Amino acid sequence: QVQLVESGGGLVQAGGSQRLSCAASGSIFSINAMGWYRQAPGKQRELVAAITSGGTTNYADSVKGRFTIFREKATNTVYLQMNTLKPEDTAVYYCNLDYETTWGTTETYWGQGTQVTVSS
């Protein structure tokens, strides 16, 4: 059993900042990568940013230079610092965990999602 506890999100004005966090716990042997995806109404879920166990990061072009993903290994927590937010960043943001289970399989797990709304 794996748990992902997301926090952050809410309403913010354009140009403002927010930080999302996602803490993973449970039957996790090791983490391959953690990331954030988002889904706006009527659109497909898309990758926002991800970070591997080795610290390699990957960002969507639309957020490069504005968002930063970083992690706290000791607590299996990943953060998404979002600056200079735009109305088009409005979406439900989902935490994603790619991990090795304690019984030797590779699994993916999703958080419940947190709403980010950017007003113009």
Side-chain angles (χ1 to χ4, degrees), residues 6 23 26-27 31 35 49 54 79-80 82 90 93-94 99 101 115 118:
E6 300 169 339
S27 303
I31 293 176
Y79 301 89
L80 184 68
M82 305 184 291
T90 295
Y93 285 69
Y94 297 90
Y99 68 105
T101 67
Q115 176 72 46
V118 184

Side-chain angles (χ1 to χ4, degrees), residues 17-40:
S17 298
Q18 275 192 348
R19 179 178 290 186
L20 306 181
S21 67
C22 174
S25 63
S27 303
I28 301 169
F29 178 73
S30 64
I31 293 176
N32 298 322
M34 293 185 75
W36 289 94
Y37 289 69
R38 68 186 180 188
Q39 187 166 20

Side-chain angles (χ1 to χ4, degrees), residues 49-92:
I51 185 166
T52 69
S53 60
T56 301
T57 57
N58 183 34
Y59 294 93
D61 288 343
S62 59
V63 307
K64 283 180 182 176
R66 300 188 297 122
F67 290 11
T68 302
I69 189 168
F70 58 99
R71 63 189 176 166
E72 190 175 77
K73 271 192 168 181
T75 59
N76 288 341
T77 301
V78 66
Y79 301 89
L80 184 68
Q81 177 65 42
M82 305 184 291
N83 298 329
T84 320
L85 283 160
K86 304 176 181 180
E88 51 263 43
D89 294 318
T90 295
V92 177

